[in-house]
Amino acid sequence: MPWKRTTSLAAVAALAVLGLTACQSEGSDAKAGPSATASTQAPADGSGDSATSEAPATGGVEKPDDLPAGLPLPSGKLTSVTGSTGAYVLTFSAQDPQAVIDEYRKALEGAQYTVVDIAGVFTATSDKTSVSVATGGDTVVLTLATL
């Protein structure tokens, strides 16, 4: 079943809410104990090197094992991963985020993703994968949803 633009927008909106909720609820809750959301952060010492889209630096943060096969990742240092199976928010730091976005867009198009610009953010969809990419400051945020 091909992705529709509405489906992509709904997936991006749902994942954005998931990401914001996870960021706000990270840590522990006095009633519920530790947060159930998977989240990792890079070490504060700034370790990790610059990377290419084939092998992003992780700086101690592990990329999810269940990412779709053939999904390219942005260059830059992976600084955090939030989410769970099939729905993740990956954050990368980059000295030139706009260059990273331009490079990543080309990588997605080369991997046969359909790319659509929506209000300063772009989404890329394939058969069962939807990716939304945005920047802010020196950060590139990738929101991923899979069926």
Side-chain angles (χ1 to χ4, degrees):
M1 175 172 106
W3 281 81
K4 302 274 188 204
R5 180 178 273 180
T6 306
T7 304
S8 296
L9 290 174
V12 169
L15 284 172
V17 169
L18 171 70
L20 291 174
T21 302
C23 290
Q24 292 173 356
S25 66
E26 195 168 345
S28 64
D29 181 354
K31 294 180 183 175
S35 173
T37 303
S39 178
T40 57
Q41 297 291 327
D45 67 1
S47 63
D49 300 319
S50 178
T52 64
S53 59
E54 290 82 32
T58 61
V61 177
E62 297 291 324
K63 68 179 183 174
D65 291 334
D66 64 333
L67 290 178
L71 173 68
L73 293 175
S75 60
K77 183 172 115 182
L78 182 61
T79 57
S80 73
V81 176
T82 305
S84 61
T85 305
Y88 294 101
V89 176
L90 290 84
T91 306
F92 298 83
S93 65
Q95 290 191 6
D96 186 357
Q98 190 57 49
V100 169
I101 290 290
D102 294 341
E103 173 190 317
Y104 188 49
R105 180 187 183 106
K106 289 176 187 172
L108 287 166
E109 289 170 340
Q112 305 305 310
Y113 280 75
T114 302
V115 178
V116 177
D117 291 304
I118 302 172
V121 176
F122 76 81
T123 61
T125 56
S126 72
D127 194 24
K128 293 186 176 187
T129 305
S130 179
V131 176
S132 174
V133 183
T135 63
D138 64 350
T139 303
V140 175
V141 178
L142 181 145
T143 305
L144 168 72
T146 58
L147 292 178

